[in-house]
Amino acid sequence: MSEFPAVLANGFNAIADDLVVRGWSMQPQLLPAELGLALEAQCRQLWQADALTPAAIGRGSDEQVVPDVRGDYTRWLDDCPDHPATADFLGFMAGLRLALNRTLFLGLDTFECHFALYPPGAGYSKHMDRFQDNPLRTVSVVAYLNSQWQPGDGGELRLHLPEGVRDVDPVAGTVAVFLSDSILHEVLPSRCERASLTGWFRRRPDNPLLR
Ligand code: OGA
Ligand code: MN
């Protein structure tokens, strides 16, 4: 990973190790602070400008907005104005993708990603990220952008694991990574405006390793 500082390369390799051993990883302070602040500002500006739309559940003709199940507002990155911070973030994610491919041979090919804002009271009920009709989502990544987050603010990511639940604080700099088809998770109701970037590494449709 010569193009990334050693600290990032170490973080990416730690994620790969965790994914093999237990299917999920949580890395505090992985996203560089300055980049996190720039992305947080962009996410909050989009929210204030009414440029985020209520997230839907289901697919195709079943798609519907059900705020009791999923209360966040999102915008896909490729639908956002070009911005140096989002370009840097995509470079960061390309580094993680290459590190995972090099170590785990996952054949991750593309990255789809959206800003998400959970207003006070919003959460996302227990779910899995891989849709039955779309087997390509392989690794889920959430980068948290809440520089002011405090215990008691809510909005933790709750992972449902064989050994019990594990909560991840949505504090700026933390990056959570997990296998899209096997880790059940939810977002606990947030008491503040909770900002994040959520994305998925996808495998190629013709990947012969696809199950
Ligand atoms: C999702 C999701 C988790 C989080 O958007 O599918 O589970 O912590 N997000 O934001
Ligand atoms: Mn999810």
Side-chain angles (χ1 to χ4, degrees):
M1 302 302 308
S2 55
E3 64 275 43
F4 284 97
V7 60
L8 281 187
N10 288 341
F12 294 162
N13 290 330
I15 290 171
D17 288 348
D18 284 344
L19 288 182
V20 171
V21 173
R22 58 189 194 188
W24 65 277
S25 185
M26 196 272 287
Q27 299 292 322
Q29 296 176 0
L30 185 66
L31 192 71
E34 209 178 318
L35 177 57
L37 284 172
L39 293 167
E40 178 178 20
Q42 198 184 350
C43 187
R44 297 194 189 284
Q45 269 159 23
L46 289 166
W47 170 244
Q48 271 146 31
D50 231 355
L52 302 177
T53 52
I57 53 171
R59 299 300 265 181
S61 55
D62 284 343
E63 212 171 84
Q64 49 180 324
V65 175
V66 186
D68 282 350
V69 174
R70 179 174 187 186
D72 59 329
Y73 289 69
T74 64
R75 189 173 188 111
W76 292 101
L77 225 54
D78 59 12
D79 187 34
C80 289
D82 287 339
H83 193 290
T86 47
D88 284 354
F89 180 74
L90 291 174
F92 177 91
M93 284 299 154
L96 175 57
R97 184 174 66 81
L98 293 176
L100 296 181
N101 281 345
R102 244 173 241 158
T103 49
L104 306 181
F105 308 104
L106 286 174
L108 304 175
D109 182 43
T110 57
F111 183 62
E112 52 179 0
C113 178
H114 60 55
F115 279 110
L117 193 298
Y118 288 72
Y124 192 162
S125 308
K126 223 196 266 188
H127 67 280
M128 227 65 102
D129 280 353
R130 181 181 284 183
F131 297 114
Q132 270 155 11
D133 65 344
N134 181 349
L136 302 179
R137 283 184 171 181
T138 302
V139 176
S140 305
V141 186
V142 193
Y144 299 103
L145 305 176
N146 305 292
S147 57
Q148 305 301 312
W149 190 90
Q150 304 274 341
D153 284 352
E156 293 89 348
L157 168 67
R158 173 163 289 178
L159 304 175
H160 293 267
L161 305 167
E163 64 271 26
V165 300
R166 169 78 192 245
D167 290 349
V168 176
D169 296 341
V171 65
T174 294
V175 178
V177 184
F178 51 90
L179 299 178
S180 305
D181 69 343
S182 52
I183 302 286
L184 202 55
H185 59 283
E186 67 183 304
V187 177
L188 299 182
S190 184
R191 292 190 194 93
C192 299
E193 288 177 359
R194 174 203 197 258
S196 63
L197 271 164
T198 306
W200 296 271
F201 292 117
R202 298 159 52 112
R203 291 195 272 193
R204 294 169 55 90
D206 55 354
N207 187 328
L209 299 175
L210 262 184
R211 280 167 292 158

